[in-house]
Coordinates of all heavy atoms in Angstrom, one line a residue:
M1 N 19.5 -45.8 -44.7 CA 20.3 -44.9 -43.9 C 19.6 -44.2 -42.8 O 18.4 -43.8 -43.0 CB 20.9 -43.9 -44.9 CG 22.1 -43.1 -44.4 SD 22.8 -42.2 -45.8 CE 22.7 -40.6 -45.2
E2 N 20.2 -44.1 -41.7 CA 19.5 -43.5 -40.5 C 19.4 -41.9 -40.7 O 20.3 -41.3 -41.1 CB 20.3 -43.8 -39.3 CG 19.5 -43.5 -38.0 CD 20.4 -43.7 -36.8 OE1 21.2 -44.6 -36.8 OE2 20.2 -42.9 -35.8
E3 N 18.2 -41.4 -40.4 CA 18.0 -40.0 -40.6 C 18.6 -39.2 -39.4 O 18.5 -39.6 -38.3 CB 16.4 -39.7 -40.5 CG 16.1 -38.2 -40.9 CD 14.6 -38.0 -40.9 OE1 13.9 -38.9 -41.0 OE2 14.3 -36.8 -40.6
K4 N 19.4 -38.2 -39.8 CA 20.1 -37.4 -38.7 C 19.2 -36.2 -38.3 O 18.6 -35.6 -39.1 CB 21.4 -36.9 -39.3 CG 22.5 -37.9 -39.4 CD 23.8 -37.3 -39.9 CE 24.8 -38.4 -40.0 NZ 26.0 -38.0 -40.8
K5 N 19.2 -35.9 -37.0 CA 18.4 -34.9 -36.5 C 19.3 -33.8 -35.9 O 20.2 -34.1 -35.1 CB 17.4 -35.4 -35.5 CG 16.4 -34.3 -35.0 CD 15.4 -35.0 -34.1 CE 14.4 -34.0 -33.6 NZ 14.9 -32.9 -32.8
D6 N 19.2 -32.5 -36.3 CA 20.0 -31.5 -35.8 C 19.1 -30.6 -34.9 O 18.2 -29.9 -35.4 CB 20.6 -30.6 -36.9 CG 21.5 -29.6 -36.4 OD1 21.5 -29.2 -35.2 OD2 22.4 -29.1 -37.2
D7 N 19.3 -30.6 -33.6 CA 18.5 -29.8 -32.6 C 18.6 -28.3 -32.8 O 17.8 -27.6 -32.2 CB 18.8 -30.2 -31.2 CG 18.4 -31.7 -30.9 OD1 17.4 -32.1 -31.5 OD2 19.1 -32.3 -30.1
N8 N 19.6 -27.9 -33.5 CA 19.8 -26.5 -33.8 C 18.9 -25.9 -34.9 O 18.8 -24.7 -35.1 CB 21.3 -26.1 -34.0 CG 22.2 -26.5 -32.9 OD1 21.8 -26.1 -31.7 ND2 23.2 -27.2 -33.1
I9 N 18.3 -26.8 -35.6 CA 17.5 -26.4 -36.7 C 16.0 -26.4 -36.3 O 15.5 -27.4 -35.8 CB 17.7 -27.3 -38.0 CG1 19.1 -27.2 -38.5 CG2 16.7 -27.0 -39.1 CD1 19.5 -28.1 -39.6
S10 N 15.4 -25.3 -36.5 CA 13.9 -25.2 -36.2 C 13.1 -24.7 -37.4 O 13.7 -24.2 -38.3 CB 13.7 -24.3 -35.0 OG 14.2 -23.0 -35.3
A11 N 11.8 -24.9 -37.3 CA 11.0 -24.5 -38.4 C 10.9 -23.0 -38.5 O 10.9 -22.3 -37.5 CB 9.6 -25.0 -38.2
M12 N 11.0 -22.4 -39.7 CA 10.9 -21.0 -39.9 C 10.0 -20.7 -41.1 O 9.8 -21.6 -41.9 CB 12.3 -20.4 -40.2 CG 13.3 -20.3 -39.1 SD 14.8 -19.7 -39.6 CE 14.4 -18.0 -39.9
C13 N 9.4 -19.6 -41.1 CA 8.6 -19.2 -42.3 C 9.0 -17.8 -42.7 O 9.3 -17.0 -41.8 CB 7.2 -19.4 -42.0 SG 6.5 -18.3 -40.8
T14 N 8.8 -17.5 -43.9 CA 9.0 -16.1 -44.4 C 7.8 -15.7 -45.2 O 7.1 -16.6 -45.7 CB 10.3 -16.0 -45.3 OG1 10.2 -17.0 -46.3 CG2 11.6 -16.3 -44.6
V15 N 7.5 -14.4 -45.1 CA 6.3 -14.0 -45.8 C 6.6 -14.0 -47.3 O 7.8 -13.8 -47.8 CB 5.9 -12.5 -45.4 CG1 5.4 -12.6 -44.0 CG2 7.1 -11.6 -45.5
A16 N 5.6 -14.2 -48.1 CA 5.7 -14.1 -49.6 C 4.8 -13.0 -50.1 O 3.6 -13.0 -49.8 CB 5.3 -15.5 -50.2
V17 N 5.4 -12.1 -50.8 CA 4.7 -10.9 -51.2 C 3.5 -11.4 -52.2 O 3.7 -12.2 -53.0 CB 5.6 -10.0 -52.0 CG1 4.8 -8.8 -52.7 CG2 6.7 -9.4 -51.1
G18 N 2.4 -10.9 -51.9 CA 1.2 -11.1 -52.7 C 0.5 -12.5 -52.5 O -0.4 -12.9 -53.2
E19 N 0.9 -13.1 -51.4 CA 0.3 -14.4 -51.1 C -1.3 -14.3 -50.9 O -2.0 -15.2 -51.2 CB 0.9 -15.0 -49.9 CG 0.9 -16.5 -49.9 CD 1.9 -17.1 -48.9 OE1 1.8 -16.8 -47.7 OE2 2.8 -17.9 -49.3
A20 N -1.7 -13.1 -50.4 CA -3.1 -12.9 -50.1 C -3.8 -12.3 -51.3 O -4.9 -11.8 -51.2 CB -3.2 -12.1 -48.8
G21 N -3.1 -12.2 -52.4 CA -3.7 -11.5 -53.6 C -3.5 -10.0 -53.6 O -2.8 -9.5 -52.7
K22 N -4.0 -9.4 -54.6 CA -3.9 -7.9 -54.7 C -4.8 -7.2 -53.7 O -5.8 -6.7 -54.0 CB -4.1 -7.4 -56.1 CG -3.0 -7.9 -57.0 CD -3.1 -7.1 -58.3 CE -1.9 -7.5 -59.2 NZ -1.8 -6.8 -60.5
T23 N -4.3 -7.2 -52.4 CA -5.1 -6.7 -51.3 C -5.3 -5.1 -51.5 O -6.2 -4.6 -50.8 CB -4.4 -7.0 -50.0 OG1 -3.0 -6.6 -50.1 CG2 -4.5 -8.4 -49.7
G24 N -4.5 -4.5 -52.3 CA -4.7 -3.1 -52.5 C -6.1 -2.8 -53.1 O -6.6 -1.7 -53.0
D25 N -6.7 -3.8 -53.7 CA -8.0 -3.6 -54.3 C -9.2 -3.4 -53.3 O -10.1 -2.7 -53.6 CB -8.4 -4.8 -55.2 CG -7.6 -4.9 -56.4 OD1 -6.9 -3.9 -56.7 OD2 -7.6 -6.0 -57.1
W26 N -9.0 -4.0 -52.1 CA -10.1 -3.8 -51.2 C -9.7 -3.1 -49.9 O -10.5 -2.9 -49.0 CB -10.7 -5.2 -50.8 CG -9.7 -6.3 -50.4 CD1 -9.3 -7.3 -51.2 CD2 -9.1 -6.4 -49.1 NE1 -8.4 -8.1 -50.5 CE2 -8.3 -7.6 -49.2 CE3 -9.1 -5.7 -47.9 CZ2 -7.5 -8.0 -48.2 CZ3 -8.3 -6.2 -46.9 CH2 -7.5 -7.3 -47.0
R27 N -8.5 -2.6 -49.8 CA -8.0 -1.9 -48.7 C -8.8 -0.6 -48.4 O -9.2 0.1 -49.4 CB -6.5 -1.6 -48.9 CG -5.8 -0.9 -47.8 CD -4.4 -0.5 -48.1 NE -4.5 0.4 -49.3 CZ -3.8 0.2 -50.4 NH1 -2.9 -0.8 -50.5 NH2 -3.9 1.1 -51.4
S28 N -9.2 -0.4 -47.2 CA -9.9 0.9 -46.9 C -9.0 2.0 -46.4 O -9.4 3.2 -46.4 CB -11.1 0.6 -46.0 OG -10.6 0.1 -44.8
V29 N -7.9 1.6 -45.8 CA -6.9 2.7 -45.3 C -5.6 2.3 -45.8 O -5.3 1.1 -46.0 CB -6.9 2.8 -43.8 CG1 -8.1 3.5 -43.2 CG2 -6.7 1.4 -43.1
R30 N -4.7 3.3 -46.0 CA -3.4 3.0 -46.5 C -2.3 3.7 -45.6 O -2.6 4.8 -45.0 CB -3.2 3.4 -47.9 CG -3.1 4.9 -48.1 CD -2.6 5.3 -49.5 NE -3.5 4.9 -50.6 CZ -3.2 5.1 -51.8 NH1 -2.1 5.8 -52.2 NH2 -4.1 4.8 -52.8
P31 N -1.1 3.1 -45.5 CA -0.1 3.7 -44.7 C 0.6 4.8 -45.5 O 0.9 4.6 -46.7 CB 0.9 2.6 -44.4 CG 0.7 1.6 -45.5 CD -0.7 1.8 -46.0
V32 N 0.7 6.0 -44.9 CA 1.4 7.1 -45.5 C 2.6 7.5 -44.6 O 2.4 7.7 -43.4 CB 0.5 8.3 -45.7 CG1 1.2 9.5 -46.3 CG2 -0.7 7.9 -46.6
I33 N 3.8 7.5 -45.2 CA 5.0 7.7 -44.4 C 5.4 9.2 -44.5 O 5.5 9.7 -45.5 CB 6.2 6.9 -44.9 CG1 5.8 5.4 -44.9 CG2 7.5 7.1 -44.1 CD1 6.9 4.5 -45.5
D34 N 5.6 9.8 -43.3 CA 6.1 11.1 -43.2 C 7.6 11.1 -43.2 O 8.2 10.6 -42.2 CB 5.6 11.8 -41.9 CG 6.0 13.3 -41.8 OD1 6.9 13.6 -42.5 OD2 5.5 13.9 -40.9
R35 N 8.2 11.4 -44.3 CA 9.7 11.2 -44.5 C 10.4 12.1 -43.5 O 11.6 11.9 -43.2 CB 10.1 11.5 -45.9 CG 9.3 10.8 -46.9 CD 10.1 9.7 -47.6 NE 9.3 9.0 -48.6 CZ 8.9 7.8 -48.5 NH1 9.3 7.0 -47.5 NH2 8.1 7.2 -49.5
K36 N 9.8 13.2 -43.0 CA 10.5 14.1 -42.1 C 10.6 13.4 -40.7 O 11.4 13.9 -39.9 CB 9.7 15.4 -42.0 CG 9.7 16.2 -43.3 CD 9.2 17.7 -43.1 CE 7.7 17.8 -42.8 NZ 6.9 17.3 -43.9
K37 N 9.8 12.4 -40.5 CA 9.9 11.7 -39.2 C 10.6 10.3 -39.3 O 11.1 9.8 -38.3 CB 8.5 11.5 -38.6 CG 7.8 12.7 -38.1 CD 6.5 12.3 -37.5 CE 5.6 13.5 -37.1 NZ 4.3 13.0 -36.8
C38 N 10.6 9.8 -40.5 CA 11.1 8.4 -40.7 C 12.6 8.4 -40.6 O 13.3 9.1 -41.2 CB 10.7 7.9 -42.1 SG 11.4 6.3 -42.5
I39 N 13.1 7.5 -39.7 CA 14.5 7.5 -39.2 C 15.5 7.4 -40.4 O 16.4 8.2 -40.5 CB 14.7 6.5 -38.1 CG1 14.0 6.9 -36.9 CG2 16.2 6.3 -37.9 CD1 13.8 5.8 -35.8
P40 N 15.3 6.4 -41.3 CA 16.3 6.3 -42.5 C 16.4 7.6 -43.3 O 17.5 8.0 -43.7 CB 15.8 5.1 -43.3 CG 15.0 4.3 -42.3 CD 14.4 5.3 -41.4
S41 N 15.2 8.2 -43.6 CA 15.2 9.4 -44.4 C 15.8 10.6 -43.6 O 16.6 11.4 -44.1 CB 13.8 9.8 -44.8 OG 13.3 8.9 -45.7
L42 N 15.5 10.6 -42.3 CA 15.9 11.7 -41.4 C 17.4 11.7 -41.3 O 18.1 12.7 -41.3 CB 15.2 11.6 -40.1 CG 15.2 12.7 -39.2 CD1 14.3 13.8 -39.8 CD2 14.5 12.3 -37.8
K43 N 18.0 10.5 -41.1 CA 19.4 10.3 -40.8 C 20.2 9.9 -42.0 O 21.5 9.8 -41.9 CB 19.6 9.3 -39.6 CG 18.8 9.6 -38.4 CD 19.6 9.3 -37.1 CE 18.7 9.5 -35.9 NZ 19.1 10.7 -35.2
N44 N 19.6 9.7 -43.1 CA 20.2 9.2 -44.3 C 21.1 8.0 -44.0 O 22.3 7.9 -44.4 CB 21.0 10.3 -44.9 CG 21.4 9.9 -46.4 OD1 20.7 9.2 -47.1 ND2 22.6 10.4 -46.8
K45 N 20.5 7.0 -43.3 CA 21.2 5.9 -42.8 C 20.3 4.7 -42.8 O 19.1 4.8 -42.5 CB 21.5 6.2 -41.3 CG 22.8 5.6 -40.8 CD 23.1 6.3 -39.5 CE 23.7 5.4 -38.5 NZ 24.0 6.0 -37.2
S46 N 20.8 3.5 -43.1 CA 20.0 2.3 -43.0 C 19.8 1.9 -41.5 O 20.7 1.3 -40.9 CB 20.7 1.1 -43.7 OG 20.6 1.3 -45.1
A47 N 18.6 2.3 -41.0 CA 18.4 2.1 -39.6 C 16.9 1.8 -39.4 O 16.1 2.1 -40.3 CB 18.9 3.3 -38.8
C48 N 16.5 1.3 -38.2 CA 15.1 1.1 -37.8 C 14.5 0.0 -38.6 O 14.7 -1.2 -38.3 CB 14.3 2.4 -37.9 SG 12.7 2.2 -37.2
F49 N 13.8 0.3 -39.7 CA 13.1 -0.7 -40.5 C 12.2 -1.6 -39.8 O 12.0 -2.8 -40.2 CB 14.1 -1.5 -41.4 CG 14.9 -0.7 -42.3 CD1 16.3 -0.9 -42.4 CD2 14.4 0.4 -43.0 CE1 17.1 -0.1 -43.3 CE2 15.2 1.2 -43.8 CZ 16.5 0.9 -44.0
L50 N 11.6 -1.2 -38.6 CA 10.7 -2.0 -37.9 C 9.4 -2.3 -38.7 O 8.8 -3.3 -38.6 CB 10.4 -1.4 -36.5 CG 11.5 -1.4 -35.5 CD1 11.0 -0.8 -34.2 CD2 12.0 -2.8 -35.2
C51 N 9.1 -1.3 -39.5 CA 7.9 -1.5 -40.4 C 8.1 -2.7 -41.3 O 7.2 -3.5 -41.6 CB 7.6 -0.2 -41.2 SG 9.1 0.5 -42.0
W52 N 9.3 -2.8 -41.9 CA 9.6 -3.9 -42.7 C 9.6 -5.2 -41.9 O 9.1 -6.2 -42.4 CB 11.0 -3.6 -43.3 CG 11.7 -4.9 -43.9 CD1 11.5 -5.4 -45.1 CD2 12.7 -5.7 -43.2 NE1 12.3 -6.5 -45.2 CE2 13.1 -6.7 -44.1 CE3 13.4 -5.6 -42.0 CZ2 14.0 -7.6 -43.8 CZ3 14.3 -6.5 -41.7 CH2 14.6 -7.5 -42.6
L53 N 10.2 -5.2 -40.7 CA 10.3 -6.4 -39.9 C 8.9 -6.9 -39.5 O 8.7 -8.1 -39.6 CB 11.1 -6.0 -38.6 CG 11.3 -7.2 -37.7 CD1 12.3 -8.2 -38.3 CD2 11.9 -6.7 -36.4
Y54 N 8.0 -6.0 -39.2 CA 6.7 -6.5 -38.7 C 5.6 -6.6 -39.8 O 4.5 -7.2 -39.5 CB 6.2 -5.5 -37.6 CG 6.9 -5.7 -36.3 CD1 7.9 -4.9 -35.9 CD2 6.5 -6.8 -35.5 CE1 8.5 -5.1 -34.7 CE2 7.2 -7.0 -34.3 CZ 8.1 -6.1 -33.9 OH 8.8 -6.3 -32.7
C55 N 5.8 -6.1 -41.0 CA 4.7 -6.2 -42.0 C 4.4 -7.6 -42.3 O 5.3 -8.4 -42.8 CB 5.1 -5.4 -43.3 SG 3.9 -5.7 -44.6
P56 N 3.2 -8.1 -42.1 CA 2.9 -9.5 -42.3 C 2.8 -9.9 -43.8 O 2.8 -11.0 -44.2 CB 1.5 -9.7 -41.7 CG 0.9 -8.3 -41.7 CD 2.0 -7.3 -41.6
E57 N 2.8 -8.9 -44.7 CA 2.7 -9.1 -46.1 C 4.0 -9.0 -46.8 O 4.1 -9.3 -48.0 CB 1.7 -8.2 -46.8 CG 0.3 -8.3 -46.2 CD -0.3 -9.7 -46.5 OE1 -0.1 -10.3 -47.6 OE2 -1.0 -10.2 -45.6
G58 N 5.0 -8.6 -46.2 CA 6.3 -8.4 -46.8 C 6.4 -7.4 -47.9 O 7.1 -7.6 -48.9
V59 N 5.6 -6.4 -47.8 CA 5.5 -5.4 -48.8 C 6.3 -4.1 -48.5 O 6.2 -3.2 -49.3 CB 4.0 -5.1 -49.2 CG1 3.3 -6.3 -49.7 CG2 3.3 -4.5 -48.0
V60 N 7.0 -4.0 -47.4 CA 7.7 -2.8 -47.1 C 9.2 -3.1 -47.6 O 9.8 -4.1 -47.4 CB 7.8 -2.5 -45.6 CG1 8.7 -1.4 -45.3 CG2 6.4 -2.3 -45.1
K61 N 9.7 -2.1 -48.4 CA 11.0 -2.2 -49.0 C 11.9 -1.4 -48.1 O 11.8 -0.1 -48.0 CB 11.0 -1.7 -50.4 CG 12.2 -2.1 -51.1 CD 12.1 -1.8 -52.6 CE 13.4 -1.8 -53.3 NZ 13.5 -0.8 -54.4
P62 N 12.9 -2.0 -47.4 CA 13.7 -1.2 -46.5 C 14.8 -0.5 -47.3 O 15.7 -1.1 -47.9 CB 14.4 -2.3 -45.6 CG 14.3 -3.6 -46.4 CD 13.2 -3.4 -47.3
G63 N 14.7 0.8 -47.3 CA 15.7 1.5 -48.1 C 15.6 3.0 -47.7 O 14.9 3.3 -46.7
I64 N 16.3 3.8 -48.4 CA 16.3 5.3 -48.1 C 15.8 5.9 -49.4 O 16.5 6.0 -50.4 CB 17.6 5.8 -47.7 CG1 18.2 5.0 -46.6 CG2 17.6 7.3 -47.4 CD1 19.7 5.3 -46.3
P65 N 14.5 6.3 -49.5 CA 13.5 6.2 -48.4 C 12.8 4.8 -48.4 O 12.9 4.0 -49.3 CB 12.4 7.2 -48.8 CG 12.5 7.2 -50.3 CD 13.9 6.9 -50.7
V66 N 12.2 4.5 -47.3 CA 11.4 3.3 -47.1 C 10.2 3.4 -48.1 O 9.6 4.5 -48.3 CB 10.8 3.2 -45.7 CG1 9.8 2.0 -45.6 CG2 12.0 3.0 -44.7
E67 N 9.9 2.3 -48.8 CA 8.8 2.3 -49.7 C 7.8 1.1 -49.4 O 8.2 0.1 -48.9 CB 9.3 2.2 -51.1 CG 9.8 3.5 -51.6 CD 10.5 3.4 -52.9 OE1 10.5 2.4 -53.6 OE2 11.1 4.5 -53.3
I68 N 6.5 1.3 -49.7 CA 5.5 0.3 -49.5 C 4.8 0.0 -50.8 O 4.4 0.9 -51.5 CB 4.5 0.8 -48.4 CG1 5.2 1.0 -47.0 CG2 3.3 -0.2 -48.3 CD1 4.3 1.6 -46.0
D69 N 4.7 -1.3 -51.1 CA 4.1 -1.7 -52.3 C 2.5 -1.7 -52.1 O 2.0 -2.6 -51.4 CB 4.5 -3.1 -52.7 CG 3.9 -3.5 -54.1 OD1 2.9 -2.9 -54.5 OD2 4.5 -4.5 -54.6
L70 N 1.9 -0.6 -52.5 CA 0.5 -0.4 -52.1 C -0.4 -1.4 -52.9 O -1.6 -1.6 -52.6 CB 0.1 1.0 -52.4 CG 0.7 2.0 -51.4 CD1 0.4 3.4 -51.8 CD2 0.2 1.7 -49.9
E71 N 0.1 -2.0 -53.9 CA -0.7 -3.0 -54.6 C -1.0 -4.2 -53.8 O -2.1 -4.8 -53.9 CB 0.1 -3.5 -55.9 CG -0.8 -4.0 -57.0 CD -0.2 -4.1 -58.3 OE1 1.0 -3.8 -58.4 OE2 -0.9 -4.4 -59.3
Y72 N -0.1 -4.5 -52.9 CA -0.3 -5.7 -52.0 C -0.5 -5.4 -50.5 O -0.7 -6.3 -49.7 CB 0.9 -6.7 -52.2 CG 1.0 -7.3 -53.6 CD1 1.9 -6.8 -54.5 CD2 0.1 -8.2 -54.0 CE1 2.0 -7.3 -55.8 CE2 0.1 -8.7 -55.3 CZ 1.1 -8.3 -56.1 OH 1.1 -8.8 -57.4
C73 N -0.3 -4.1 -50.1 CA -0.5 -3.7 -48.7 C -2.0 -3.9 -48.4 O -2.9 -3.4 -49.2 CB -0.1 -2.3 -48.5 SG -0.7 -1.5 -47.1
K74 N -2.3 -4.5 -47.3 CA -3.8 -4.7 -47.0 C -4.3 -3.7 -46.0 O -5.4 -3.8 -45.5 CB -4.0 -6.2 -46.5 CG -3.2 -6.5 -45.2 CD -3.5 -8.0 -44.8 CE -2.7 -8.3 -43.5 NZ -2.8 -9.8 -43.2
G75 N -3.4 -2.8 -45.6 CA -3.9 -1.7 -44.7 C -4.2 -2.1 -43.3 O -5.0 -1.5 -42.6
C76 N -3.4 -3.1 -42.8 CA -3.6 -3.6 -41.5 C -3.2 -2.6 -40.4 O -3.7 -2.7 -39.2 CB -3.0 -5.0 -41.3 SG -1.2 -4.9 -41.3
G77 N -2.2 -1.8 -40.7 CA -1.8 -0.8 -39.7 C -0.7 -1.3 -38.7 O -0.4 -0.5 -37.8
I78 N -0.2 -2.5 -38.9 CA 0.8 -3.0 -38.0 C 2.0 -2.1 -38.1 O 2.7 -1.7 -37.1 CB 1.1 -4.4 -38.2 CG1 -0.1 -5.3 -37.8 CG2 2.3 -4.9 -37.5 CD1 0.0 -6.8 -38.2
C79 N 2.4 -1.7 -39.3 CA 3.6 -0.9 -39.5 C 3.5 0.4 -38.7 O 4.4 0.9 -38.0 CB 3.9 -0.6 -41.0 SG 2.4 0.1 -41.8
A80 N 2.3 1.0 -38.8 CA 2.1 2.3 -38.1 C 2.1 2.1 -36.5 O 2.7 2.9 -35.9 CB 0.7 2.9 -38.5
E81 N 1.6 1.0 -36.1 CA 1.7 0.7 -34.6 C 3.1 0.5 -34.2 O 3.5 0.9 -33.0 CB 0.9 -0.6 -34.3 CG -0.6 -0.4 -34.3 CD -1.0 0.5 -33.1 OE1 -0.5 0.3 -32.0 OE2 -1.8 1.4 -33.3
E82 N 3.9 -0.1 -35.0 CA 5.3 -0.5 -34.6 C 6.3 0.6 -34.8 O 7.4 0.6 -34.3 CB 5.8 -1.7 -35.3 CG 5.0 -3.0 -35.0 CD 5.0 -3.4 -33.5 OE1 6.0 -3.0 -32.8 OE2 4.1 -4.0 -33.0
C83 N 6.0 1.6 -35.6 CA 6.9 2.7 -35.9 C 7.3 3.6 -34.7 O 6.4 4.3 -34.2 CB 6.3 3.6 -37.0 SG 7.4 5.0 -37.5
P84 N 8.5 3.6 -34.3 CA 8.8 4.3 -33.0 C 8.5 5.8 -33.1 O 7.9 6.3 -32.1 CB 10.3 4.0 -32.8 CG 10.6 2.8 -33.6 CD 9.7 2.8 -34.7
P85 N 8.9 6.5 -34.1 CA 8.6 8.0 -34.1 C 7.2 8.3 -34.7 O 6.9 9.5 -34.9 CB 9.7 8.5 -35.0 CG 10.0 7.4 -36.0 CD 9.7 6.1 -35.3
R86 N 6.3 7.3 -34.9 CA 5.0 7.5 -35.4 C 5.0 8.3 -36.7 O 4.3 9.3 -36.9 CB 4.2 8.4 -34.4 CG 3.9 7.6 -33.1 CD 2.8 6.7 -33.3 NE 2.4 6.0 -32.1 CZ 2.1 4.7 -32.1 NH1 2.2 4.0 -33.2 NH2 1.7 4.1 -31.0
A87 N 5.9 7.8 -37.6 CA 6.1 8.4 -38.9 C 5.0 7.9 -39.9 O 4.9 8.5 -41.0 CB 7.5 8.1 -39.5
I88 N 4.3 6.8 -39.6 CA 3.3 6.3 -40.5 C 1.9 6.6 -40.0 O 1.5 6.3 -38.9 CB 3.4 4.8 -40.6 CG1 4.9 4.4 -41.1 CG2 2.4 4.2 -41.6 CD1 5.1 2.9 -41.2
S89 N 1.1 7.2 -40.9 CA -0.3 7.5 -40.6 C -1.1 6.6 -41.5 O -0.8 6.4 -42.6 CB -0.7 8.9 -40.9 OG 0.2 9.8 -40.3
M90 N -2.2 6.1 -40.9 CA -3.2 5.3 -41.7 C -4.3 6.2 -42.2 O -5.0 6.8 -41.4 CB -3.8 4.1 -40.9 CG -2.7 3.1 -40.4 SD -1.7 2.4 -41.6 CE -2.8 1.4 -42.6
V91 N -4.3 6.4 -43.5 CA -5.2 7.4 -44.1 C -6.3 6.7 -44.9 O -6.0 5.7 -45.7 CB -4.4 8.3 -45.0 CG1 -5.3 9.4 -45.7 CG2 -3.3 9.0 -44.2
R92 N -7.5 7.1 -44.7 CA -8.6 6.5 -45.5 C -8.5 6.7 -47.0 O -8.1 7.8 -47.4 CB -10.0 7.2 -45.0 CG -10.6 6.5 -43.9 CD -11.8 7.2 -43.3 NE -12.7 7.6 -44.4 CZ -13.8 8.4 -44.1 NH1 -14.0 8.8 -42.9 NH2 -14.6 8.7 -45.1
E93 N -8.7 5.7 -47.7 CA -8.6 5.7 -49.2 C -9.3 6.9 -49.8 O -8.8 7.5 -50.7 CB -9.0 4.4 -49.8 CG -8.0 3.2 -49.6 CD -6.6 3.4 -50.2 OE1 -6.5 4.2 -51.2 OE2 -5.7 2.8 -49.7
D94 N -10.5 7.1 -49.3 CA -11.3 8.2 -49.9 C -10.8 9.6 -49.6 O -11.3 10.5 -50.1 CB -12.8 8.0 -49.6 CG -13.1 8.0 -48.1 OD1 -12.1 7.9 -47.3 OD2 -14.3 8.2 -47.7
K95 N -9.9 9.6 -48.7 CA -9.3 11.0 -48.3 C -8.0 11.2 -49.0 O -7.4 12.3 -48.8 CB -9.1 11.0 -46.8 CG -10.3 10.8 -46.0 CD -11.2 12.1 -45.9 CE -12.4 11.9 -45.1 NZ -13.4 13.0 -45.3
I96 N -7.4 10.2 -49.7 CA -6.1 10.3 -50.3 C -6.0 11.5 -51.3 O -5.0 12.2 -51.2 CB -5.7 9.0 -51.0 CG1 -5.4 7.9 -49.9 CG2 -4.5 9.1 -51.9 CD1 -4.2 8.3 -49.0
N97 N -6.9 11.7 -52.1 CA -6.7 12.7 -53.1 C -7.4 14.1 -52.7 O -7.5 15.0 -53.5 CB -7.3 12.3 -54.5 CG -6.5 11.1 -55.0 OD1 -5.2 11.1 -55.0 ND2 -7.1 10.1 -55.6
E98 N -7.7 14.1 -51.5 CA -8.3 15.4 -51.0 C -7.3 16.4 -50.6 O -6.2 16.1 -50.2 CB -9.3 15.2 -49.8 CG -10.6 14.6 -50.3 CD -11.5 14.3 -49.1 OE1 -11.3 14.8 -48.0 OE2 -12.6 13.6 -49.4
Ligands
LIG101 S1 -0.5 -1.6 -43.5 FE1 1.7 -1.8 -43.1 S2 2.0 -3.7 -42.0 FE2 0.0 -3.8 -43.0 S3 0.3 -4.7 -45.0 FE3 0.4 -2.5 -45.3 S4 2.6 -2.1 -45.1 FE4 2.3 -4.1 -44.2
LIG102 S1 9.4 2.0 -38.5 FE1 8.9 4.1 -38.9 S2 10.8 5.2 -38.6 FE2 11.3 3.0 -38.8 S3 11.8 2.8 -40.9 FE3 9.6 2.3 -40.7 S4 8.6 4.2 -41.2 FE4 10.7 4.7 -40.8

């Protein structure tokens, strides 16, 4: 049987949570969300979620409030860079409990 080719179908990939292992073990900085600035919390509306869209590890849970699985977050800071209202700060792990 002849193989059919559909030009509308292209290769896609999706991130898999935890593919890089428990990166929370060696992370040196972590994202901390200021809920007073985060759009979904502020407006009580499912909106923005750019942190979820850009996170390469797929560890951001888009909801109200937005949550990050720190067990697998590698602390790359992309979410903080992409957040329009600058609601995410990257905080050094050794400063977390201070
Ligand atoms: S720092 Fe942000 S973008 Fe990077 S892995 Fe953690 S949640 Fe994802
Ligand atoms: S990108 Fe920033 S404002 Fe938007 S949902 Fe994420 S933390 Fe909230």
Side-chain angles (χ1 to χ4, degrees):
M1 198 167 122
E2 193 184 324
E3 190 182 333
K4 287 186 182 164
K5 187 173 181 296
D6 187 340
D7 290 329
N8 296 313
I9 296 174
S10 61
M12 286 179 71
C13 67
T14 53
V15 291
V17 175
E19 210 165 55
K22 287 196 175 180
T23 49
D25 287 349
W26 50 257
R27 185 186 57 231
S28 58
V29 287
R30 72 166 65 178
V32 175
I33 302 174
D34 182 347
R35 311 251 181 246
K36 292 192 289 301
K37 290 185 187 169
C38 176
I39 293 165
S41 291
L42 200 64
K43 306 215 181 256
N44 195 29
K45 212 166 146 185
S46 288
C48 185
F49 299 140
L50 289 181
C51 48
W52 163 77
L53 184 68
Y54 284 103
C55 174
E57 298 300 321
V59 297
V60 178
K61 195 170 161 210
I64 306 169
V66 171
E67 284 172 5
I68 295 173
D69 184 345
L70 291 171
E71 202 162 7
Y72 294 105
C73 162
K74 63 184 178 186
C76 66
I78 291 174
C79 53
E81 281 296 316
E82 297 298 336
C83 175
R86 295 279 184 222
I88 303 177
S89 306
M90 299 306 292
V91 179
R92 271 173 47 186
E93 288 293 338
D94 60 346
K95 299 282 180 194
I96 286 297
N97 293 321
E98 284 180 10

